[in-house]
């Protein structure tokens, strides 16, 4: 015999209760994602170690053949770019998680419950940001061990990390939006393929002045380039040429691009969640 | 509840999908589901059952019409509806990466149960749905039956006024099906209104107090399973033959005895016809078979099944097939 539990859901909670519920919901949904990590620890760790592998590949396999225009160590040039690239790669895991939930019907279960849309999306956000912070720390420690460093003081360095996480935060909402529209995990592999050309078409690995002019101009336009350049500036790492408007205003763009992405994709993501089936 | 005679009312609900999203639409769905009943929404694939459930559970917005669930307007009071319903079935899933226990605890917390109570309730439901042994395993490793039971348990953490169960036993073995049916019956006893969608007629026959048959997004017949069967015209005379070659000959004989709606099951060498005169037609059939030298394996009189009603109304009713192939 199945016993019933009295429905304790307060149909019209007061403002204070509503906020308390919202916090509980965000916490419970974040915990859910952390439990996923526990269920797939290797997958999570590979996500953190992948950028380290990329760093070693580009730093040591290709690094010898690379010259930084204007002089300086390629490894020092590469590190800020790899940070930005890591933030960018995080989008894949966001898209994959969002699409999986939507296609399996977990999202619909949440949507049929009296939970606010923002609680579900914020839970996703918190955990993905935590994931990225850890990934960033792993890469920072690796970089420091291999001789990279910042030269403009800790405050500037913190500013740079702040800009990197801001980029991740804005891309997260792009990821949620794309994930809600990808409808099944197979489509996500297309997103994963696209991540590579978009990531490489930037100044992450090479200075844009070494590219054909038109391609270099497109690469300069990439939000990744803005954040990389801004981070290079704040860390005091080489590679600053200041030849184009874009690179002269890298700091401004490293804030502007994410804010623009947020302004577009945050409302779109919330709307897509609410109207998932419509 | 009590204040509302109907737990679910839908008035002329219409839904048309655009070019980008596909799915069967609704062409003026009207439903009246009495509070405390089990209501079966029947229909072939593509009739709009799932679309109807998604609209009534606020997952999907209707284009036209109106609907109330548990006394609240689906379009205007979505959050109130959501706090009074449970949704189980193929489209609202539990988290495969979590264990059964973790799932129930999580949904308990999201249903506003305090931590201790959520844990106690999770354990209680795992016991009641016979999932205690699997409680610590990831749901991805569950069998189909176990998953459906967990899914039902998750929608019953706090008792919903109205429970929507979308194709609860699709793909289950007969034993698991019985278990799920038992769970749904005890829900009704506890006072929950259950709306059940299914393509299995037997399921509706077993469980439902009332049935609506859906085709091309609207209700084409409704009533109790018994009334639907009677409306289809009395009893059926059913003959099973030993050999495939005899089927055609037997069919000719039976067409002379019974009514027009003849069903031939070639795989089972079985033919059935509607009859009005029970004993008379049985005698006629027996002597006709004796004269023709055919020896049927079995001749029985029986009530029509809901399957036959269904084939009759959805197949022969002639609501154009053009719409289906669109």
């Amino acid at each position: 015999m199945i016993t019933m539990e009295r429905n304790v859901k307060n149909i019209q909670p007061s403002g204070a209760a509503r906020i308390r519920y919202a916090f509980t919901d965000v916490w419970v949904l974040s915990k859910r994602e952390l439990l996923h990590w526990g269920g797939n620890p290797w997958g999570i760790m590979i996500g953190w170690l992948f950028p380290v592998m990329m760093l070693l590949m580009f730093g040591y396999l290709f690094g010898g053949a690379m010259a930084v225009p204007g002089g300086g160590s390629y490894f020092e040039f590469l590190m800020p770019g790899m940070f930005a690239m890591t933030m960018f790669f995080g989008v894949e895991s966001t898209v994959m998680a969002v699409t999986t939930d939507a296609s399996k019907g977990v999202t619909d279960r949440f949507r049929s419950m009296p939970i606010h849309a923002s609680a579900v999306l914020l839970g996703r956000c918190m955990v993905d940001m935590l994931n990225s912070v850890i990934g960033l720390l792993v890469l920072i420690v690796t970089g420091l061990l291999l001789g990279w460093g910042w030269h403009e003081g800790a405050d500037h360095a913190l500013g740079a990390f702040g800009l990197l996480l801001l980029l991740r935060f804005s891309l997260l909402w792009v990821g949620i939006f794309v994930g809600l529209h990808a409808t099944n995990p197979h489509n996500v592999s297309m997103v994963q393929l696209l991540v590579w050309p978009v990531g490489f078409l930037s100044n992450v690995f090479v200075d844009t002045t070494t590219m054909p002019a038109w391609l270099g101009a497109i690469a300069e336009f990439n939000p990744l380039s803005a954040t990389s350049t801004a981070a290079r500036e704040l860390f005091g790492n080489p590679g600053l040429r200041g030849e184009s408007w874009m690179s002269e205003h890298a700091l401004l763009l490293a804030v502007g691009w994410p804010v623009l992405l947020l302004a577009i994709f945050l409302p779109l993501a919330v709307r897509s969640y609410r109207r998932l089936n419509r | 509840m009590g204040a509302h005679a109907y737990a679910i009312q839908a008035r002329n609900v219409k839904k048309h999908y655009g070019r980008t999203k596909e799915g069967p639409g609704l062409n003026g769905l009207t439903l009246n589901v009495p509070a405390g009943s089990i209501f079966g929404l029947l229909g072939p694939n593509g009739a709009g059952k799932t679309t109807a459930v998604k609209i009534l559970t606020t997952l999907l917005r209707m284009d036209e019409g109106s609907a109330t669930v548990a006394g609240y307007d689906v379009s205007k009071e979505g959050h109130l509806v959501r706090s009074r319903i449970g949704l189980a079935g193929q489209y609202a899933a539990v988290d495969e990466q979590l264990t059964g226990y973790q799932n129930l605890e999580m949904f308990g917390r999201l249903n506003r149960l305090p931590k201790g109570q959520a844990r106690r309730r999770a354990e209680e439901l795992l016991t009641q749905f016979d999932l205690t042994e699997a409680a610590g395993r990831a749901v991805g490793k569950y069998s189909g039956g176990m998953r459906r039971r967990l899914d039902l348990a998750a929608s019953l953490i706090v008792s919903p006024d109205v429970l929507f169960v979308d194709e609860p036993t699709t793909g289950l073995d007969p034993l698991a099906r019985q278990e799920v049916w038992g769970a749904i019956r005890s829900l009704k006893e506890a006072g929950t209104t259950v709306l059940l969608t299914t393509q299995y007629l037997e399921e509706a026959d077993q469980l439902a107090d009332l049935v609506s048959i859906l085709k091309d997004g609207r209700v084409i017949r409704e009533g109790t399973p018994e009334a639907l069967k009677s409306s289809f015209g009395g009893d059926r005379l059913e003959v099973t033959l030993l050999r495939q070659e005899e089927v055609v000959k037997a069919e000719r004989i039976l067409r002379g005895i019974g009514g027009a709606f003849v069903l031939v099951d070639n795989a089972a060498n079985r033919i059935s016809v509607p009859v009005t005169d029970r004993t008379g037609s049985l005698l006629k059939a027996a002597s006709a078979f004796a004269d023709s030298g055919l020896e049927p394996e079995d001749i029985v009189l029986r009530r029509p099944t809901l399957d036959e009603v269904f084939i009759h109304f959805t197949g022969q009713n002639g609501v154009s097939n053009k719409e289906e192939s669109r």
Side-chain angles (χ1 to χ4, degrees):
Chain A
M1 175 64 200
I2 293 153
T3 57
M4 302 304 273
E5 180 93 5
R6 197 171 57 86
N7 194 337
V8 290
K9 279 171 274 188
N10 188 348
I11 287 215
Q12 269 153 331
S14 64
R18 205 173 293 174
I19 291 167
R20 209 174 57 240
Y21 288 155
F23 272 107
T24 311
D25 290 345
V26 172
W27 165 238
V28 170
L29 291 163
S30 304
K31 211 176 106 189
R32 162 179 179 252
E33 301 293 339
L34 293 178
L35 289 171
H36 287 176
W37 290 14
N40 181 20
W42 292 111
I44 292 294
M45 289 213 278
I46 286 170
W48 293 333
L49 293 177
F50 186 70
V52 172
M53 192 194 75
M54 292 266 293
L55 177 71
L56 298 178
M57 266 171 56
F58 280 88
Y60 293 102
L61 285 179
F62 302 136
M66 300 282 199
V68 182
S73 139
Y74 178 68
F75 194 74
E76 288 252 305
F77 170 85
L78 179 61
M79 273 310 286
M82 272 315 299
F83 289 139
M85 194 70 165
T86 303
M87 298 299 101
F88 183 57
F89 275 142
V91 172
E92 281 185 59
S93 61
T94 304
V95 172
M96 187 52 112
V98 170
T99 305
T100 306
D101 275 357
S103 68
K104 301 232 159 161
V106 178
T107 308
D108 271 351
R109 166 89 71 186
F110 291 141
R111 289 178 66 238
S112 75
M113 296 176 75
I115 317 169
H116 202 268
S118 54
V120 178
L121 300 181
L122 269 177
R124 160 101 274 129
C125 249
M126 305 267 288
V127 176
D128 279 0
M129 285 308 285
L130 179 64
N131 190 354
S132 290
V133 167
I134 295 172
L136 196 56
L137 284 173
V138 170
L139 200 57
I140 291 169
V141 170
T142 313
L144 290 173
L145 288 175
L146 296 175
W148 166 80
W150 53 78
H151 314 291
E152 302 283 330
D155 51 340
H156 280 69
L158 280 176
F161 292 129
L163 286 179
L164 287 160
L165 290 172
L166 177 67
L167 178 69
R168 174 68 181 107
F169 185 70
S170 67
L171 291 174
L172 212 156
W173 292 93
V174 179
I176 293 175
F177 176 75
V178 173
L180 287 172
H181 286 269
T183 61
N184 76 61
H186 294 296
N187 296 350
V188 175
S189 54
M190 251 174 43
V191 174
Q192 287 170 327
L193 272 180
L194 277 177
V195 162
W196 290 88
V198 173
F200 276 70
L201 191 51
S202 68
N203 65 13
V204 163
F205 297 107
V206 287
D207 192 288
T208 53
T209 53
T210 65
M211 304 173 187
W214 61 273
L215 199 61
I218 297 174
E220 288 268 307
F221 209 69
N222 191 330
L224 275 182
S225 300
T227 303
S228 306
T229 308
R232 280 173 187 137
E233 195 176 326
L234 289 168
F235 288 136
N237 291 146
L240 290 174
R241 315 256 298 152
E243 277 171 359
S244 66
W245 186 90
M246 288 280 191
S247 54
E248 265 171 37
H249 297 84
L251 272 177
L252 178 72
L253 285 169
V255 176
W257 267 124
V259 168
L260 180 68
L261 288 174
L262 274 174
I264 297 169
F265 284 97
L266 196 148
L268 280 180
V270 173
R271 185 170 178 274
S272 300
Y273 173 86
R274 291 217 169 109
R275 304 171 64 97
L276 191 54
N277 285 303
R278 289 171 187 179
Chain B
M1 210 159 17
H4 312 285
Y6 293 109
I8 303 170
Q9 277 193 300
R11 290 267 159 279
N12 201 24
V13 172
K14 292 186 181 168
K15 171 77 190 173
H16 302 288
Y17 282 86
R19 272 164 203 272
T20 53
K21 296 255 176 180
E22 48 196 88
L26 294 178
N27 299 311
L29 178 78
T30 295
L31 288 178
N32 292 302
V33 179
S37 67
I38 299 182
F39 189 91
L41 201 54
L42 288 180
N45 275 333
K49 301 184 300 276
T50 301
T51 305
V53 169
K54 284 193 167 177
I55 285 175
L56 293 171
T57 54
T58 77
L59 293 179
L60 199 61
R61 205 194 316 230
M62 67 182 91
D63 295 336
E64 275 176 61
S66 64
T68 61
V69 170
Y72 298 111
D73 188 308
V74 168
S75 307
K76 295 182 198 117
E77 300 169 304
H79 61 294
L80 296 175
V81 171
R82 285 192 286 276
S83 66
R84 284 290 169 256
I85 60 169
L87 176 59
Q90 53 181 355
Y91 292 103
V94 289
D95 188 330
E96 287 182 8
Q97 297 177 64
L98 301 189
T99 67
Y101 176 81
Q102 287 169 340
N103 263 296
L104 292 182
E105 194 203 353
M106 171 179 74
F107 286 118
R109 295 287 283 142
L110 294 175
N111 271 305
R112 317 273 181 247
L113 294 182
K115 201 176 280 179
Q117 210 177 334
R119 288 183 179 158
R120 181 187 56 70
R121 183 64 178 150
E123 278 161 17
E124 206 171 272
L125 284 166
L126 286 165
T127 312
Q128 288 164 12
F129 282 88
D130 201 18
L131 289 167
T132 320
E133 270 177 49
R137 256 187 284 154
V139 175
K141 300 196 171 87
Y142 279 25
S143 72
M146 289 160 73
R147 194 184 294 218
R148 291 296 161 96
R149 275 181 281 150
L150 184 71
D151 188 54
L152 261 185
S155 53
L156 300 176
I157 287 169
V158 294
S159 59
D161 290 350
V162 183
L163 177 69
F164 294 86
V165 198
D166 199 12
E167 312 220 342
T169 61
T170 302
L172 292 194
D173 61 58
L175 190 68
R177 184 173 297 183
Q178 289 293 341
E179 287 168 5
V180 171
W181 286 353
I184 291 173
R185 283 196 194 99
S186 42
L187 272 180
K188 184 198 166 183
E189 277 158 34
T192 292
T193 307
V194 180
L195 184 138
L196 171 87
T197 74
T198 183
Q199 25 177 346
Y200 297 126
L201 288 301
E202 192 199 351
E203 188 157 275
D205 213 357
Q206 288 281 328
L207 291 175
D209 303 307
L210 283 171
V211 169
S212 278
I213 297 179
L214 214 60
K215 190 179 188 230
D216 295 333
R218 70 166 75 83
V219 174
I220 55 169
R221 278 292 181 288
E222 57 192 345
T224 64
E226 274 313 307
L228 281 178
K229 285 188 247 173
S230 314
S231 74
F232 171 58
D235 291 318
R236 297 188 71 83
L237 179 66
E238 184 177 86
V239 176
T240 312
L241 295 139
L242 284 169
R243 280 182 293 276
Q244 175 88 57
E245 315 85 77
E246 300 171 343
V247 172
V248 179
K249 205 169 172 191
E251 186 188 337
R252 205 177 307 130
I253 294 171
L254 288 173
R255 279 192 190 276
I257 295 168
F261 186 50
V262 181
L263 285 176
V264 181
D265 181 347
N266 278 314
N269 297 341
R270 190 177 292 147
I271 307 155
S272 74
V273 287
V275 293
T276 39
D277 172 17
R278 289 171 56 95
T279 323
S281 53
L282 189 57
L283 286 171
K284 257 187 255 170
S287 71
F289 280 121
D291 292 346
S292 68
L294 286 178
E295 271 189 56
E297 189 183 13
D298 205 7
I299 304 184
V300 289
L301 273 170
R302 59 164 178 76
R303 303 280 298 141
T305 65
L306 214 42
D307 264 301
E308 287 159 343
V309 179
F310 188 71
I311 292 169
H312 181 63
F313 287 133
T314 61
Q316 301 223 327
N317 201 35
V319 181
S320 73
N321 289 324
K322 270 175 272 159
E323 277 180 66
E324 279 180 345
S325 57
R326 174 187 39 176

